[in-house]
């Protein structure tokens, strides 16, 4: 056996096989392309100082070198040089330069991130892929729209009845979830309950029509009436929303993604471990649950859940480019410690900037190849097995789990 020849074959597959990006977000519109600090590409930090700090990380040094190479800026280019370049080239050219090398065939876009007016619609991204983009519906955003309409109806009628508002919300949410689940453009749902009240979601069937609920709904109504903003972060209500989508999605055969682990400073880290979801996973055995972002730093817990529950799947995304190269390889090794390789999926968690898709693809392919190559060299895997893992992780698993019915468009 010529190990080097076999590894060349593995390398070719890992770096060129078509991919389904099972979790991403929309690009910023051209007129808003500089409206968000570009340092968000390499960090979840949010303050001015922490974003400056992010430019001194291993993740930033590596991203700078890779983007400088992509843009033809030379090995001495620094972060500010990269930023200046991207600000000077036509936006369409920038997008195509970043997307063409990714080999992404299909994107599943969570279109509930940020202000919709600043982002392109999900189907706009079809110009960069061989297969149509599909939607992932963020359930908290959907629920907030339902509640806004219910509050507006009460304002128009010059009444404020928390009990009536609750009934209208519950009926409206169920109807919206069922309509959305039946939409062929929707590949699945996503919950960000991790950000709102934590992943320790109680298994519930209703929202108690009691004084506590009335207080929350009255407060939300008054804030919306005066400021036109609404953010659901009440545990009884958020838990009910999650249970509702788990029930409806299970009936429709569509997965529910959960943000787990890594996120900005709005998260309570101790409540972001997927282990908190265990009761919910058990309560809805017919609902496919996708644990996003490698659940970092709780990857081992996520691998365990993926191994022991038939309805749990594990996404390894967002760590590209946020972690150092060693950190990325370590996470992939932890994913492979327990998780069946027919239940893992890759994503970029690309958002706002086309560079996030490029780095998310390039770095994931590099890290996966290096981990698989090491296992082949140590005779822990055959080349055929390693190739199978790569094809499943990048394409086949997501194609099956989201019922996309695609054929890989090979170069």
């Amino acid at each position: 056996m010529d190990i080097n020849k076999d590894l060349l074959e593995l390398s070719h597959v890992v770096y060129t096989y078509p991919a389904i990006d099972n979790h991403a977000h929309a690009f910023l519109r051209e007129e808003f392309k500089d409206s968000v600090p570009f340092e968000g590409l390499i960090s979840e930090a949010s303050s001015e100082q922490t974003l400056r700090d992010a430019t001194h990380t291993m993740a930033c040094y590596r991203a700078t070198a890779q983007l400088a190479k992509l843009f033809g800026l030379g090995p001495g280019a620094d972060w500010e040089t990269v930023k200046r370049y991207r600000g000077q080239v036509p936006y369409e050219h920038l997008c195509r330069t970043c997307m063409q090398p990714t080999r992404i065939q299909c994107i599943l876009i969570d279109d509930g991130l940020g202000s919709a007016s600043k982002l392109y619609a999900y189907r706009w991204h079809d110009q960069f892929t061989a297969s149509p983009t599909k939607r992932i519906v963020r359930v908290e955003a959907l629920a907030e729209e339902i509640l806004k309409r219910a509050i507006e109806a009460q304002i128009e009628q010059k009444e404020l009845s928390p009990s009536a508002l609750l009934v209208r919300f519950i009926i409206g949410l169920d109807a919206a979830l069922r309509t959305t689940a039946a939409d062929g453009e929707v590949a699945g749902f996503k919950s960000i309950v991790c950000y709102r009240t934590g992943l320790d979601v109680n298994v519930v069937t209703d929202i108690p029509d009691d004084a506590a609920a009335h207080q929350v709904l009255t407060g939300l109504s008054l804030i919306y009436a005066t400021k036109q903003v609404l953010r659901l972060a009440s545990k009884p209500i958020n838990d009910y929303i999650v249970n509702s989508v788990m029930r409806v999605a299970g009936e429709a055969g569509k997965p529910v993604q959960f943000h787990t682990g890594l996120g900005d400073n709005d998260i309570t880290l101790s409540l972001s471990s997927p282990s908190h979801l265990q009761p919910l996973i058990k309560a809805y055995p017919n609902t496919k649950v996708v644990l996003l972002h490698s659940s970092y730093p709780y990857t081992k817990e996520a691998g365990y859940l993926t191994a022991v529950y038939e309805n749990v799947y594990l996404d390894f995304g967002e760590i590209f480019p946020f972690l150092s190269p060693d950190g990325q390889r370590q996470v992939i090794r932890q994913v492979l410690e327990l998780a069946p390789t027919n239940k893992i999926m890759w994503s970029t968690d690309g958002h706002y900037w086309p560079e996030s898709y490029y780095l998310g693809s390039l770095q994931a392919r590099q890290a996966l190849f290096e981990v698989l190559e090491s296992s082949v060299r140590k005779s822990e895997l055959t080349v055929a097995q390693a190739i199978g893992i790569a094809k499943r992780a990048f394409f086949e698993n997501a194609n099956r789990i989201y019922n996309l019915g695609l054929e890989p468009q090979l170069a």
Side-chain angles (χ1 to χ4, degrees):
M1 181 181 73
D2 186 341
I3 185 68
N4 291 323
K5 181 179 179 181
D6 288 342
L7 289 174
L8 279 175
E9 181 185 4
L10 174 62
S11 174
H12 176 75
V13 171
V14 172
Y15 282 102
T16 67
Y17 202 72
I20 295 171
D21 189 348
N22 98 104
H23 177 69
H25 307 275
F27 286 16
L28 288 164
R29 290 179 177 272
E30 182 172 5
E31 59 268 34
F32 297 109
K33 67 185 180 70
D34 299 316
S35 63
V36 183
F38 189 55
E39 286 71 21
L41 178 72
I42 43 87
S43 175
E44 285 278 19
S46 55
S47 73
E48 189 173 327
Q49 180 59 52
T50 53
L51 285 172
R52 282 199 299 268
D53 293 340
T55 63
H56 300 282
T57 61
M58 291 286 289
C60 184
Y61 297 148
R62 185 187 188 201
T64 299
Q66 291 176 329
L67 292 176
K69 183 177 180 180
L70 176 68
F71 298 153
L73 300 179
D78 61 12
W79 182 250
E80 292 301 319
T81 303
V82 169
K83 288 172 65 175
R84 282 194 299 272
Y85 174 84
R86 73 180 308 274
Q88 295 167 357
V89 297
Y91 193 52
E92 182 182 358
H93 174 75
L94 178 69
C95 293
R96 293 197 180 279
T97 298
C98 291
M99 291 298 291
Q100 189 277 330
T102 64
R103 298 288 296 137
I104 295 172
Q105 180 175 325
C106 175
I107 311 171
L108 308 186
I109 286 187
D110 163 15
D111 53 8
L113 176 68
S115 173
S117 63
K118 292 185 177 183
L119 304 174
Y120 285 112
Y122 73 101
R123 290 302 296 268
W124 177 88
H125 302 77
D126 287 356
Q127 63 189 292
F128 306 115
T129 60
S131 299
T133 305
K134 297 292 186 180
R135 291 183 67 204
I136 297 292
V137 173
R138 186 177 292 207
V139 66
E140 285 80 10
L142 179 65
E144 285 166 352
E145 288 302 314
I146 300 300
L147 187 55
K148 285 177 185 178
R149 291 200 291 270
I151 292 172
E152 287 166 355
Q154 289 206 342
I155 292 173
E156 186 177 345
Q157 296 165 8
K158 294 183 170 57
E159 67 166 320
L160 179 56
S161 169
S163 290
L165 183 61
L166 181 60
V167 170
R168 187 188 291 262
F169 171 69
I170 289 173
I171 293 173
L173 178 65
D174 183 73
L177 286 173
R178 293 187 183 282
T179 299
T180 303
D183 187 346
E185 290 292 290
V186 174
F189 294 91
K190 177 189 175 182
S191 172
I192 57 165
V193 70
C194 183
Y195 276 107
R196 301 300 177 84
T197 53
L199 291 178
D200 57 336
V201 178
N202 293 319
V203 178
V204 298
T205 57
D206 62 10
I207 303 171
D209 187 7
D210 57 17
H214 291 183
Q215 183 178 9
V216 169
L217 291 170
T218 299
L220 289 170
S221 298
L222 292 174
I223 292 171
Y224 183 68
T226 56
K227 298 182 179 180
Q228 293 296 294
V229 295
L230 190 148
R231 184 178 187 273
L232 280 170
S234 166
K235 186 166 174 55
I237 296 177
N238 286 78
D239 285 1
Y240 175 78
I241 293 168
V242 171
N243 278 267
S244 296
V245 74
M246 288 290 286
R247 182 181 67 255
V248 172
E251 293 170 359
K254 295 195 172 179
V256 180
Q257 301 176 345
F258 282 88
H259 181 111
T260 62
L262 187 64
D264 63 35
N265 63 9
D266 198 28
I267 276 180
T268 299
L269 187 59
S270 61
L271 294 178
S272 71
S273 168
S275 61
H276 292 294
L277 288 172
Q278 196 167 7
L280 195 74
I281 290 166
K282 294 168 70 173
Y284 297 94
N286 295 322
T287 303
K288 291 179 278 191
V289 172
V290 179
L291 305 174
L292 294 175
H293 311 321
S294 316
S295 299
Y296 180 86
Y298 303 106
T299 308
K300 290 187 176 184
E301 288 90 331
Y304 168 80
L305 295 172
T306 306
V308 301
Y309 291 105
E310 183 179 340
N311 58 325
V312 178
Y313 304 86
L314 179 54
D315 156 81
F316 62 103
E318 194 178 17
I319 60 171
F320 319 103
F322 287 168
L323 298 192
S324 69
D326 282 342
Q328 292 172 359
R329 288 186 289 269
Q330 184 60 33
V331 169
I332 290 178
R333 290 189 183 100
Q334 289 181 358
V335 167
L336 296 175
E337 282 179 5
L338 270 178
T341 62
N342 63 336
K343 299 181 75 181
I344 62 173
M345 294 176 288
W346 163 81
S347 72
T348 59
D349 194 33
H351 59 289
Y352 294 164
W353 310 281
E355 293 92 338
S356 64
Y357 282 79
Y358 174 73
L359 294 174
S361 177
L362 174 64
Q363 293 187 7
R365 291 180 187 273
Q366 287 178 333
L368 184 61
F369 173 72
E370 288 163 3
V371 170
L372 295 176
E373 177 195 31
S374 175
S375 291
V376 169
R377 288 190 181 278
K378 291 185 285 188
S379 299
E380 297 167 348
L381 287 173
T382 66
V383 170
Q385 288 168 337
I387 287 174
I389 290 171
K391 289 182 176 180
R392 288 191 291 275
F394 283 123
F395 189 93
E396 294 171 2
N397 292 344
N399 194 35
R400 182 186 79 252
I401 293 161
Y402 292 98
N403 300 306
L404 299 176
L406 300 177
E407 292 293 330
Q409 300 296 304
L410 302 173

